[in-house]
Amino acid sequence: MPPLCRHTAAVLVAFRADADIHPLLAQLQGHVAHTVVVDNSAHGLPAVQALPAQAQRSVLHNRNRGGLAGAYNLALRHLAEAKLGAGAHPITHVV
């Protein structure tokens, strides 16, 4: 992984129940150090709930509080406060 990627996290906000987020998650793997998936639906998306646990991924539930901005703000707070594993590089960039 290039040096800049080791300090980069991606935020993926999921809202629509018919959206398949798995291809995007697969594309991000290896290009960012951490991915934050925010389930922004009111009742929880089955595709997000079914994601397997991974050290390089966080799953947050926002219930559409604050709309898209609320989801991004939740993800940014999480990244600022999270301990992303032993020896993890600090996240300085977000896409």
Side-chain angles (χ1 to χ4, degrees), residues 32-52:
V32 294
H34 197 81
T35 302
V36 179
V37 178
V38 182
D39 182 343
N40 211 34
S41 68
H43 302 291
L45 298 173
V48 174
Q49 294 171 355
L51 287 174

Side-chain angles (χ1 to χ4, degrees), residues 1-82:
M1 180 179 293
L4 182 59
C5 294
R6 291 192 302 255
H7 297 276
T8 303
V11 176
L12 172 60
V13 179
F15 180 76
R16 292 181 33 213
D18 62 342
D20 184 6
I21 62 173
H22 293 93
L24 182 54
L25 289 173
Q27 289 178 336
L28 288 170
Q29 192 170 3
H31 296 285
V32 294
H34 197 81
T35 302
V36 179
V37 178
V38 182
D39 182 343
N40 211 34
S41 68
H43 302 291
L45 298 173
V48 174
Q49 294 171 355
L51 287 174
Q54 287 187 355
Q56 299 85 12
R57 179 173 53 224
S58 300
V59 177
L60 308 175
H61 303 279
N62 192 47
R63 308 252 184 251
N64 202 23
R65 288 184 297 261
L68 187 58
Y72 282 121
N73 287 334
L74 178 66
L76 292 174
R77 272 193 311 274
H78 172 75
L79 287 168
E81 298 169 358

